[in-house]
Amino acid sequence: MNENIFAHEKHGELIRELLSAYQRQELSAGQILKILRKDILEMSQVEYAALTGISRRTLSDLEQDLSSPTFLVFNAAFQPFGLQAGLIPIVKD
């Protein structure tokens, strides 16, 4: 996959909405990953794991928020969407 999914305006809007929900603590990173995998790429866990180079079990654990992945694994999981782990400001109500 050579091009960044974020480059597609339709997908970029969805990604921005999901990231806003994450900052408001309405969605977890795992929930976002599952939405992106299923709704944008329409891939099974097996297909997506092969694309990203992580195991299907690791992907499943990430999507269910059952693990604390390393930055390397986290970044690999979100790389197809042009996303990576980083510091974000705290949103105050």
Side-chain angles (χ1 to χ4, degrees):
M1 175 175 297
N2 293 336
E3 60 184 285
N4 185 320
I5 296 298
F6 195 73
H8 293 87
E9 187 55 38
K10 175 178 80 171
H11 298 141
E13 184 177 328
L14 173 60
I15 290 170
R16 283 188 290 278
E17 289 174 15
L18 293 171
L19 292 176
S20 291
Y22 177 75
Q23 287 182 318
R24 293 188 307 270
Q25 298 180 346
E26 296 170 357
L27 290 175
S28 69
Q31 291 169 317
I32 291 171
L33 181 59
K34 185 175 183 176
I35 291 167
L36 294 173
R37 173 183 61 80
K38 291 177 77 176
D39 293 353
I40 291 179
L41 295 182
E42 300 177 352
M43 288 185 158
S44 70
Q45 284 186 336
V46 172
E47 293 168 324
Y48 193 74
L51 172 71
T52 58
I54 61 177
S55 73
R56 194 226 35 99
R57 175 60 188 238
T58 297
L59 177 60
S60 176
D61 287 350
L62 281 170
E63 289 184 350
Q64 295 178 57
D65 298 306
L66 296 177
S67 67
S68 296
T70 65
F71 281 113
L72 185 65
V73 170
F74 189 90
N75 288 341
F78 282 94
Q79 185 279 327
F81 305 102
L83 301 171
Q84 66 181 17
L87 300 173
I88 58 170
I90 297 171
V91 177
K92 301 218 180 203
D93 295 324

